[in-house]
Amino acid sequence: NEEGEEDETASDEDVDLTAVAVETMRDLDDGDGADREAVTAAVADEYGADPADVDDAIEDALMGGQCYEPTEGTLKAI
């Protein structure tokens, strides 16, 4: 990121990783759901987030009823 560390900190606070993860699931869904690892990697790459934080956000989305796992390792937004 060209703006340096200050921007990274701001993005962590300003970005709702759960919402971003759910939106990314929709984008990557080929009809059978999106690969969980691909969602995690895409969000981590795009927002500079820690993959563990993205995984926590996915868990929050699962627990909050924003998505589900049609098969092991696959996510589908609701």
Side-chain angles (χ1 to χ4, degrees):
N1 192 341
E2 293 177 17
E3 294 182 48
E5 292 177 346
E6 187 176 315
D7 186 62
E8 249 181 69
T9 303
S11 69
D12 287 346
E13 294 170 6
D14 295 342
V15 173
D16 180 347
L17 287 178
T18 303
V20 169
V22 171
E23 187 61 37
T24 303
M25 279 172 219
R26 284 190 183 100
D27 293 344
L28 296 177
D29 187 346
D30 60 4
D32 297 322
D35 180 72
R36 184 176 183 141
E37 290 180 19
V39 172
T40 301
V43 173
D45 288 347
E46 185 169 345
Y47 292 93
D50 186 309
D53 291 341
V54 177
D55 203 50
D56 289 346
I58 291 170
E59 284 301 317
D60 289 346
L62 285 164
M63 297 303 288
Q66 297 174 338
C67 64
Y68 66 98
E69 290 182 292
T71 59
E72 183 78 30
T74 305
L75 300 165
K76 196 153 184 71
I78 296 175

